[in-house]
Amino acid sequence: MLSADTSTRPEGDLLMYKHVLIATDGSPLSERAVDAGIALASTLKAALTIANVGAPYAPPLYAGDLVPNNYLTANEHDEKVRTAGQEVLDAAQAKAGKAGLTADTAFEIADEPADGIIKIAKDRKADLIVVASHGRGGLSALLLGSATRRLLSSANIDLLVVRNHDGDEG
């Protein structure tokens, strides 16, 4: 889905994006968004930023003096989340490099992935966000929520949504 606010563009002016931001979590479906975003940025000769958003620390619940063996401190959690995010970003950045593009990367920790993506897009002055969507509907979408749905309702930046195709994994 591509939505464009053309109200500020002179009539007949082509819709050109100058800075594409790709949001990825490293999943097979988000790899489609990475591929689409790289191809689009290459075609448009646009700047490219690849973004990943990690989950914030949530202290474990425990009773009394019993602390679980796998308890992570806030610092340990942040380090693990940042390391995992950097691996995802490095892989996508390498893919962009193979396509002949230089890509910046950005990482953010946020309660909601969409909020982190929007913050990065605004900070980097992106004018298009490329993101994947599982395309879940009905009860599944209601129970699971959707970062893409939240982006659609909250972002003031155009979105290109790469959809899951029936029968494909992702």
Side-chain angles (χ1 to χ4, degrees), residues 23-162:
T24 180
D25 62 8
S27 68
L29 180 57
S30 74
E31 286 304 305
R32 284 192 186 145
V34 169
D35 293 342
I38 288 171
L40 184 61
S42 179
T43 299
L44 297 176
K45 297 180 180 14
L48 179 62
T49 298
I50 302 167
N52 178 270
V53 178
Y57 176 73
L61 299 175
Y62 60 92
D65 293 331
L66 178 63
V67 177
N69 289 342
N70 61 352
Y71 171 78
L72 291 177
T73 65
N75 288 340
E76 290 169 332
H77 169 83
D78 283 354
E79 185 177 327
K80 279 189 168 215
V81 168
R82 288 181 189 283
T83 299
Q86 194 59 53
E87 288 175 10
V88 168
L89 292 172
D90 289 347
Q93 189 176 41
K95 197 179 263 195
K98 286 181 183 173
L101 296 176
T102 301
D104 289 330
T105 62
F107 178 82
E108 187 74 32
I109 291 181
D111 289 328
E112 293 287 339
D115 294 341
I117 293 166
I118 290 168
K119 181 181 184 319
I120 293 168
K122 286 181 180 176
D123 290 350
R124 301 296 177 102
K125 296 180 176 40
D127 51 9
L128 178 69
I129 298 171
V130 179
V131 65
S133 176
H134 285 277
R136 292 186 180 105
L139 185 59
S140 177
L142 212 103
L143 294 175
L144 296 173
S146 169
T148 303
R149 185 172 303 201
R150 188 169 170 108
L151 278 169
L152 285 167
S153 65
S154 301
N156 292 327
I157 298 168
D158 290 349
L159 297 173
L160 171 63
V161 179
V162 178

